[in-house]
Amino acid sequence: MRALAESALREGGARRTATPLTGPSALTAGERRIAELAAQNRTNTEIGQLLHLARRTVETHLTSTYRKLGIRRRSELGAALTDTGEAP
């Protein structure tokens, strides 16, 4: 089934994504900007005001960011944003 689906997608012009699905490089520009402000201890309301976004939009971006970075807390943002994924 998988091979059939991949074949059908290729015939339709689909391409594999070259962007990573996790880690800091997977973040969109908007997610990164919001995550950096959140890492600076800004509240969601403050971030929304600074970027002219609804608070709920900020929350949605942060939820996506946490998933991509594999974190669960705002306090983990700073370290996760600077993580290169390379072993020491």
Side-chain angles (χ1 to χ4, degrees), residues 32-69:
R32 176 167 285 282
R33 187 171 51 240
I34 289 170
E36 288 171 350
L37 290 169
Q40 296 170 8
N41 296 319
R42 304 268 187 162
T43 66
N44 291 354
T45 302
E46 289 174 330
I47 295 168
Q49 290 172 345
L50 282 168
L51 301 178
H52 305 286
L53 299 170
R55 181 184 48 83
R56 183 65 185 129
T57 301
V58 173
E59 292 169 359
T60 300
H61 280 297
L62 285 174
T63 298
S64 178
T65 298
Y66 289 8
R67 181 181 44 78
K68 289 178 181 180
L69 296 178

